[in-house]
Amino acid sequence: MCGICCVVNVSNLQSALDKAVLGNLKKRGPNCSREVTKAVAGFNYHCFFSGHVLHMRGLLTPQPLEDEKGNVFLWNGEVFGGLKVGSEENDAQVVFDHLSKCTSESEILSIFSAVQGPWAFIYFQVDSHCLWFGRDFFGRRSLLWKFDDVEKSVMLTSVGALVVGTEHGQWQEVPASAVYKMDLKACSLLDSFVLMTYPWKYPSSKLQKSDLTHELRLEKFSSSVSLTMNASGLFLTAPVVPLNITIPACLPESKHTLGTQPSFEDLQPFLQSDKRKKIVHQLVDVLSEAVRRRIQYPPSKTVATCPSVNKANVAILFSGGIDSMILATLADRHIPVEHPIDLLNVAFQLKKPKKKVLTKNTKKCKTVLNSHPCQEEAKLGSAEAGDFECFNVPDRITGRAGLQEMQDINPTRTWNFVEINVTQDELQEMRQKTISHLVYPLETVLDDSIGCAVWFASRGTGAALLNNEMKEYTSTAKVVLTGIGADEQLAGYSRHRVRYKMSGLEGLVNELEMELGRISSRNLGRDDRIIGDHGKEARFPFLDEEVVSFLSSLPVWEKADLTLPRGLGEKLLLRLAARELGLTASAVLPKRAMQFGSRIAKMENGNEKASDKCNRLQRV
């Protein structure tokens, strides 16, 4: 993974890279940094490229990459399929080698259509004076842009920096609906920017991923930018199949008798059908392969010290819920047993519990605050910190139960359950200092809550049980697996039940289609910026192309049955897979959103709505 940046100016001025942006980029790519400037003789434009590399696989390869023709390439991604990349090869170099041979637009598009895995890129093709850039189909890697009318410049970067009170030239996320091209020669003559778009389309279909005219509102932040569809009508081929929208005339009534509280035994009757059991095993297989791809390539031993077997190379954002439990179980299949796995569990300080005491003077009961030293203990990561009631949040409770299940499945593995305790003072400090810059340009209460929770969790600093003693512990794993994408595809959110009750299966299908379509702008760019700030890489197995295609090919009733109670009907297919993998109580845990399970939502204004603009993200 990398921090990538490009500044293009079509006037005589050269724009400087903001120091705050540069600092954020360097944290994403701590292993090496490089800069390249391009000014083509006879043309009035300048390009500045900045690359910062987090070394993950193959040989350590500085960026930007430059070939003998003068082409320049910046890559923030991983190739998990589609192009052949050897175990000792660097995928940025492989992709660049392919691009350097391209002589047409269609050849360039075919390369990015083929790549399976998350990516964002910037590519300057010197012969054509064209700058190409974009994000993968799901937008799993962040890319922002900012246009400046005064300096006649455009900046592209993995991460920006929030400047309060500046309306001119604000950052926005590059929509993942297309790949973009700018003819810099033409832009310099026009003294403005024309963006040529190459949208994603599903294979063998006229269906386009989304309507760019609704997603791109360029006029609200720049008068010098125009958007146009490429004249040749070219497009990228989507790496997944479109969603199965089949709706049956009627469904057979469920014959299963369930108690008021679902238990994992209630899943067993659903597995008696050979057809359903086959689908469950297909899901396990495709998801297992997705996890394997994401943990198989450590940095080359020729350029990096071989990791100690006592240090984990892979960490999982871990609540003990079904998504993280599935990832832990499948990671256990593919990671050598002598290597630990870090389970990162975050909790935000609850309000101090109250107790009643009898005063000497009045002999009456008065309410006083209990005096747990939560803040000091949490900062020290002491042995008792995780046991204090003020950090005994729902995700901590289910996380410990999940840890016990994992230990039962594989007692020979070291499972490092990292208890990450966050006080209100530390939350406020780090939000203002760092997190607000990373969440930006998103700005809602939900973005604040999830952004803060993911930042502290992925930092991995807390306490863990080592040699039967709680000690301070910081995860060294560069790879962080997260379960995002499961709820969006398998009807895991409460709003899916609401939509089903209102509009039936048709309404549910429409909701799921919308969920996957907006995941780039709603979740993934933000999470990539947040996790990347620690010099770690977010990986999303549930959004692997093969996993998404498999789930999208199934009719909705094979994935969820919202006539069944919570903890069973939502994500039913995944719960059945969990049962086949040997999971027990965690297989029927109801969905609990991270902001509620970690209790960060309780630390702030309880009357806020998730969609409200969050004033706490605005730096003073």
Side-chain angles (χ1 to χ4, degrees):
M1 189 194 72
C2 303
I4 61 176
C5 180
C6 172
V7 184
V8 178
N9 195 294
V10 295
S11 70
N12 290 320
L13 302 173
Q14 290 195 40
S15 302
L17 183 59
D18 183 89
K19 289 183 178 179
V21 173
L22 180 60
N24 289 336
L25 287 167
K26 286 184 175 179
K27 285 193 287 184
R28 290 178 61 87
N31 295 125
C32 69
S33 298
R34 185 169 179 254
E35 296 177 350
V36 169
T37 301
K38 283 285 180 181
V40 181
F43 298 98
N44 195 33
Y45 68 84
H46 302 85
C47 300
F48 169 80
F49 302 92
S50 182
H52 309 270
V53 176
L54 173 68
H55 180 224
M56 298 299 294
R57 63 195 284 191
L59 297 174
L60 178 59
T61 305
Q63 293 195 41
L65 293 161
E66 192 172 8
D67 64 16
E68 65 279 358
K69 299 176 185 177
N71 299 321
V72 180
F73 185 55
L74 287 164
W75 173 256
N76 174 28
E78 294 285 348
V79 177
F80 294 130
L83 295 181
K84 185 178 179 181
V85 181
S87 60
E88 292 297 315
E89 288 186 296
N90 179 270
D91 58 349
Q93 187 66 61
V94 169
V95 176
F96 188 37
D97 289 343
H98 281 278
L99 289 173
S100 295
K101 298 173 185 175
C102 293
T103 58
S104 67
E105 293 178 332
S106 60
E107 289 177 343
I108 291 175
L109 296 175
S110 68
I111 291 170
F112 291 109
S113 296
V115 173
Q116 294 184 12
W119 50 262
F121 80 97
I122 302 169
Y123 174 51
F124 175 61
Q125 193 177 35
V126 66
D127 288 345
S128 64
H129 302 277
C130 288
L131 187 77
W132 293 79
F133 60 93
R135 302 163 68 191
D136 72 78
F137 182 80
F138 297 114
R140 288 165 289 186
R141 290 291 175 258
S142 171
L143 192 63
L144 310 179
W145 57 17
K146 181 173 73 171
F147 297 89
D148 192 315
D149 292 339
V150 175
E151 294 189 353
K152 293 295 186 292
S153 67
V154 57
M155 184 181 295
L156 301 162
T157 181
S158 298
V159 60
L162 172 63
V163 180
V164 174
T166 303
E167 294 297 327
H168 180 68
Q170 290 292 301
W171 294 104
Q172 290 196 4
E173 290 187 327
V174 174
S177 302
V179 161
Y180 307 85
K181 186 187 78 170
M182 289 193 298
D183 184 334
L184 300 184
K185 179 181 176 181
C187 290
S188 65
L189 294 173
L190 295 170
D191 210 24
S192 63
F193 295 101
V194 179
L195 296 178
M196 201 77 69
T197 68
Y198 300 81
W200 292 98
K201 285 188 178 180
Y202 289 100
S204 304
S205 170
K206 295 181 180 179
L207 183 64
Q208 198 165 296
K209 182 185 175 185
S210 67
D211 186 351
L212 285 169
T213 59
H214 292 299
E215 193 168 352
L216 292 170
R217 302 294 183 186
L218 299 177
E219 68 276 4
K220 72 180 180 182
F221 62 88
S222 178
S223 60
S224 62
V225 182
S226 59
L227 178 73
T228 181
M229 178 70 177
N230 75 88
S232 303
L234 297 173
F235 57 88
L236 297 106
T237 302
V240 296
V241 302
L243 185 67
N244 186 331
I245 59 174
T246 304
I247 305 295
C250 62
L251 286 173
E253 292 185 9
S254 175
K255 299 178 181 179
H256 305 295
T257 303
L258 303 170
T260 54
Q261 286 290 109
S263 72
F264 65 88
E265 287 91 350
D266 291 324
L267 292 168
Q268 209 59 41
F270 293 92
L271 291 166
Q272 291 175 358
S273 162
D274 290 340
K275 179 184 175 182
R276 173 159 269 166
K277 195 162 187 174
K278 179 181 178 181
I279 294 173
V280 169
H281 286 177
Q282 287 176 318
L283 174 59
V284 169
D285 290 343
V286 73
L287 193 52
S288 178
E289 175 61 15
V291 171
R292 186 194 68 80
R293 290 180 181 184
R294 282 155 180 78
I295 61 179
Q296 68 180 341
Y297 290 125
S300 171
K301 296 177 184 178
T302 60
V303 293
T305 303
C306 183
S308 167
V309 294
N310 296 319
K311 297 290 186 180
N313 298 319
V314 174
I316 300 168
L317 297 187
F318 189 79
S319 66
I322 183 172
D323 305 340
S324 59
M325 289 293 290
I326 288 271
L327 293 181
T329 306
L330 295 177
D332 183 50
R333 284 185 170 189
H334 302 295
I335 296 174
V337 71
E338 63 270 18
H339 288 274
I341 296 176
D342 287 347
L343 307 175
L344 309 179
N345 182 273
V346 66
F348 290 83
Q349 181 183 2
L350 296 170
K351 292 180 180 179
K352 298 176 184 179
K354 295 180 179 181
K355 69 177 183 180
K356 292 182 179 180
V357 297
L358 199 61
T359 64
K360 280 185 178 180
N361 294 334
T362 62
K363 303 294 183 183
K364 292 181 180 179
C365 253
K366 290 189 176 180
T367 302
V368 297
L369 291 176
N370 205 348
S371 57
H372 283 321
C374 300
Q375 295 191 18
E376 294 305 314
E377 295 288 0
K379 288 179 181 178
L380 292 173
S382 71
E384 296 81 16
D387 296 327
F388 281 121
E389 189 177 349
C390 53
F391 292 109
N392 204 28
V393 302
D395 277 0
R396 180 61 48 80
I397 296 169
T398 56
R400 288 173 178 159
L403 170 65
Q404 185 60 59
E405 282 194 50
M406 297 314 305
Q407 290 172 334
D408 291 342
I409 289 174
N410 188 350
T412 60
R413 170 151 349 248
T414 298
W415 300 95
N416 292 323
F417 184 72
V418 188
E419 299 189 6
I420 299 160
N421 296 332
V422 186
T423 65
Q424 189 159 26
D425 287 345
E426 187 179 16
L427 171 62
Q428 292 172 349
E429 176 189 357
M430 297 314 299
R431 176 195 283 126
Q432 291 299 307
K433 181 180 177 182
T434 299
I435 300 170
S436 59
H437 291 288
L438 305 172
V439 172
Y440 177 73
L442 304 187
E443 57 183 7
T444 69
V445 170
L446 182 65
D447 293 316
D448 171 52
S449 295
I450 295 180
C452 290
V454 171
W455 190 87
F456 281 105
S458 58
R459 184 176 66 168
T461 298
L465 187 65
L466 305 172
N467 298 321
N468 296 317
E469 183 181 355
M470 288 295 289
K471 295 181 180 179
E472 291 183 1
Y473 183 87
T474 297
S475 174
T476 58
K478 285 185 177 182
V479 172
V480 179
L481 300 182
T482 168
I484 191 168
D487 292 303
E488 288 80 0
Q489 297 180 81
L490 292 155
Y493 293 120
S494 57
R495 59 179 174 267
H496 294 137
R497 283 189 177 273
V498 173
R499 187 66 186 273
Y500 175 73
K501 288 179 180 178
M502 292 176 59
S503 309
L505 283 178
E506 184 176 357
L508 178 59
V509 167
N510 292 335
E511 190 79 10
L512 294 177
E513 190 172 34
M514 178 195 69
E515 292 279 8
L516 208 55
R518 70 180 183 180
I519 198 170
S520 63
S521 59
R522 187 177 174 91
N523 305 91
L524 295 175
R526 176 199 64 210
D527 289 358
D528 177 62
R529 294 191 294 276
I530 290 288
I531 296 174
D533 189 60
H534 303 300
K536 301 180 180 184
E537 182 168 289
R539 295 187 176 175
F540 313 102
F542 286 103
L543 292 173
D544 176 87
E545 287 82 356
E546 299 297 330
V547 173
V548 175
S549 284
F550 173 70
L551 290 175
S552 293
S553 70
L554 298 175
V556 66
W557 66 87
E558 295 283 8
K559 296 180 281 191
D561 182 353
L562 300 187
T563 64
L564 299 173
R566 287 187 73 236
L568 202 60
E570 73 279 13
K571 299 193 285 193
L572 175 61
L573 183 60
L574 193 64
R575 298 183 187 282
L576 296 174
R579 191 70 195 99
E580 286 291 272
L581 287 168
L583 298 177
T584 54
S586 60
V588 289
L589 280 178
K591 166 69 180 179
R592 186 190 297 117
M594 189 178 196
Q595 65 269 30
F596 301 119
S598 67
R599 283 298 189 257
I600 186 174
K602 291 288 186 180
M603 295 184 77
E604 308 296 353
N605 181 2
N607 296 322
E608 293 175 320
K609 293 181 180 178
S611 58
D612 288 347
K613 186 174 181 178
C614 182
N615 294 327
R616 293 182 296 277
L617 289 173
Q618 307 303 310
R619 298 185 74 237
V620 179

Coordinates of all heavy atoms in Angstrom, one line a residue, residues 287 473 511 516:
L287 N -14.9 -17.8 0.0 CA -14.4 -16.9 1.1 C -13.1 -17.3 1.7 O -12.2 -16.4 1.9 CB -15.5 -16.8 2.2 CG -15.4 -15.6 3.2 CD1 -15.3 -14.3 2.5 CD2 -16.6 -15.6 4.1
Y473 N 0.7 -4.1 25.0 CA 0.9 -4.8 23.7 C 0.5 -3.9 22.6 O -0.5 -3.2 22.6 CB 0.1 -6.1 23.7 CG 0.3 -6.9 22.4 CD1 1.3 -7.9 22.4 CD2 -0.5 -6.7 21.3 CE1 1.5 -8.6 21.3 CE2 -0.3 -7.5 20.2 CZ 0.7 -8.5 20.2 OH 0.9 -9.2 19.0
E511 N -32.7 -2.4 -2.0 CA -31.9 -1.8 -0.9 C -30.5 -2.4 -1.0 O -29.5 -1.7 -0.8 CB -32.5 -2.2 0.4 CG -31.9 -1.5 1.6 CD -32.3 0.0 1.8 OE1 -33.3 0.4 1.1 OE2 -31.7 0.7 2.6
L516 N -24.4 -1.8 -2.1 CA -23.2 -2.1 -2.7 C -22.7 -1.0 -3.7 O -21.5 -0.7 -3.8 CB -23.3 -3.4 -3.5 CG -22.0 -4.2 -3.7 CD1 -21.3 -4.5 -2.3 CD2 -22.2 -5.5 -4.4

